[in-house]
Amino acid sequence: MLTGYWTDIHNFPLVREDILKPGSLATILNDAVRLFPEKPAIKQDDYKLSYKQLGYITSRVAGNLRLRGLEKQERVIILLPNTPETVIAFWSVVRGDCTCVMTNPLYSEGELLHQIQDSEAKMVITCDLLLPKISAILDKTQISDVFVVKMTEAEQNYEDARIHPWSSLLNENQGYTCKTIDPQNDLACLQYTGGTTGISKGCMITHANAVANAQQICAMFRKYLKDGEEAFICVLPYFHSYGLTVSILFPTMMGASQTPLPRFSPKSMLATIQKEKITVMPSAPSVFNACITQKDIDNYNLSSLKLLVSGSAPLSVAHMKTFEEKTGALISEGYGLSEASPVTHFSPLDGPHKAGSIGIPLPFTEAKIVDVEYGIKELGVGENGELCIRGPQVMKGYYNQKVETDIVLRDGWLYTGDIARYDEDGYFYITDRKKDLIICGGYNVYPREVEEVLFRHPKVKEAAVIGTKSETRGEMVKAFIVLKDGVTSDEKEIIAYCRQNLANYKVPREIVFKDTLPKSAVGKILRRQLQDEK
């Protein structure tokens, strides 16, 4: 068993309370408002909001949400791209001791409906561009109010009495911050892991979980950064647990400015780094790769960058070296999962960089490798087994899914489902997946949810989905299909059908038609054999 207590090697404080100070998420924002009132909290083009203003607006929005009838611990769907309003909505919900359900704007109507129903959400905060998706399913939900951020020039005239402009949440009131938040038990977020029934599970992240993870990350990197002086670029989607923690919580705890990018393009991102003198860039390999391959990258001044944080998939050594040479920034790769708020490992900046390693456990995080079959025997250096995590950032459980919770949370340990090993220096390496997860452009894609859509196609008899390597997106979705007798189809028809029923990143990029699929003696499709056939 290895921990993040290694003071002698990595200069982490020995005293737990020096890093992990219990409190609610509202405490993080309140501290930033108190310590850095005039520092910019959010910057986007001509829009600027200081921490003092952020504190005032979120208190007002929290008050209006409660005046609308939102009660303590009730859920609010936040369905927005990376915008200032997304940050404001998040802080408003949690400071009122209600629960955020950060939701992917790319979801189809069916995926949205499942998440709204499963979370038992009462309200939605979205934008006019995404409102048609909500309107189409609203009557099938328990939603009482929808608040719409204006992002287009269209008039905001809503016939449905349940739909209101975002501006209605900005009305003057006395302001509100719940005084009875229980950090250990009250949920800050329901962070969903997937997309459709049978796959999607809501990770119950308490205030204590989220605060601890932000504090752990700060402890890992704080000596390389200065409170109140950093500038973060927020390209990671806020709805993702990684984006939420490293692009909202981490910078707020540092009193840093946040520049959200609603839509990623390499040129706009490089231009923003130069214009805003960005110092911290949390990102994913697909984003790094897209930027580094721009032919005119040398035309941009990226020298302001101090720290690049990468997660979700391995970052190539070549691209890492190129970024380091062009920026002089330090780069740390990490690992996490929604069930752990999400970060559990990062590569220490004052230790050796090891290609392919996810680094060491965060401070006050324990990690061990156990046998895959039973999950009981602890394995040693160099042995492959299931990675297990224990720490203050590990979730309370899956919402309304006790059986699934009992499978992954055992004796205080989170069983990640990932196969890993560690070396003699305590560096961990992910070597395989116990789960059949596909990571496409940093997004999680579960084969089963894609297969369920394929099975609904009237011409499809059998289907199996795997992930294949992609130079630009890490992995892409590939589907193997057996058609029903007497029918014909082609790749174009199947992909078009998937686009109607799935978020774009889940749509198969390659379709292979087969007469049969390889199966075991009990009828289970042999995915490994399909992987070998590709």
Side-chain angles (χ1 to χ4, degrees), residues 152-168:
T152 69
E153 296 303 318
E155 291 292 327
Q156 286 188 305
N157 296 314
Y158 307 121
E159 295 180 1
D160 193 319
R162 293 169 292 184
I163 303 177
H164 324 280
W166 163 257
S167 58
S168 66

Side-chain angles (χ1 to χ4, degrees), residues 4-5 12 19-20 215-217 219-220 344 361-365 392-393:
Y5 286 83
F12 291 151
I19 295 176
L20 303 181
Q215 291 171 336
Q216 290 168 315
I217 295 168
M220 200 84 179
T344 67
L362 292 185
F364 305 101
T365 299
Q393 71 270 51

Side-chain angles (χ1 to χ4, degrees), residues 119-257:
S119 66
E120 302 174 290
K122 184 173 181 180
M123 295 183 182
V124 174
I125 299 174
T126 188
C127 65
D128 47 8
L129 293 171
L130 298 170
L131 181 59
K133 289 184 180 182
I134 294 295
S135 296
I137 60 174
L138 194 54
D139 288 339
K140 300 177 183 178
T141 74
Q142 65 282 354
I143 296 296
S144 64
D145 294 275
V146 178
F147 301 96
V148 185
V149 175
K150 184 176 170 61
M151 296 185 67
T152 69
E153 296 303 318
E155 291 292 327
Q156 286 188 305
N157 296 314
Y158 307 121
E159 295 180 1
D160 193 319
R162 293 169 292 184
I163 303 177
H164 324 280
W166 163 257
S167 58
S168 66
L169 290 178
L170 303 178
N171 294 334
E172 289 286 348
N173 62 58
Q174 293 182 348
Y176 183 76
T177 297
C178 184
K179 306 299 183 188
T180 58
I181 298 175
D182 178 355
Q184 296 295 334
N185 294 297
D186 286 357
L187 302 185
C189 299
L190 271 185
Q191 195 69 48
Y192 277 80
T193 61
T196 58
T197 304
I199 297 296
S200 185
K201 298 182 287 293
C203 300
M204 296 190 289
I205 305 299
T206 67
H207 281 259
N209 292 151
V211 170
N213 206 217
Q215 291 171 336
Q216 290 168 315
I217 295 168
C218 278
M220 200 84 179
F221 299 125
R222 184 165 245 144
K223 75 176 184 177
Y224 306 96
L225 305 173
K226 293 183 179 180
D227 287 358
E229 296 186 16
E230 307 303 337
F232 281 62
I233 190 165
C234 305
V235 63
L236 293 169
Y238 287 145
F239 72 80
H240 195 285
S241 58
Y242 179 35
L244 177 65
T245 298
V246 300
S247 296
I248 294 183
L249 302 186
F250 179 24
T252 302
M253 189 167 280
M254 295 289 303
S257 68

Side-chain angles (χ1 to χ4, degrees), residues 51 172 234 243 294 318 341:
Y51 273 103
E172 289 286 348
C234 305
Q294 293 299 301
S341 304

Side-chain angles (χ1 to χ4, degrees), residues 37-67:
E38 304 307 323
K39 294 286 185 180
I42 304 172
K43 298 169 68 177
Q44 187 184 67
D45 298 325
D46 295 330
Y47 181 96
K48 287 184 176 63
L49 199 69
S50 70
Y51 273 103
K52 181 179 180 180
Q53 291 169 322
L54 179 61
Y56 172 69
I57 290 175
T58 54
S59 174
R60 191 164 58 181
V61 173
N64 281 316
L65 286 170
R66 294 299 290 261
L67 288 170

Side-chain angles (χ1 to χ4, degrees), residues 237 284 286-287 312 438-444 472-476 505:
S286 57
V287 174
S312 85
I438 301 167
I439 301 180
C440 182
Y443 297 131
N444 291 353
T472 59
R473 299 184 63 77
E475 289 181 302
M476 67 176 185
Y505 64 88

Side-chain angles (χ1 to χ4, degrees), residues 422-441:
Y422 65 89
D423 64 20
E424 62 281 356
D425 296 321
Y427 281 66
F428 283 73
Y429 303 77
I430 301 296
T431 57
D432 206 341
R433 293 193 189 98
K434 189 176 177 182
K435 308 168 186 175
D436 290 319
L437 183 65
I438 301 167
I439 301 180
C440 182

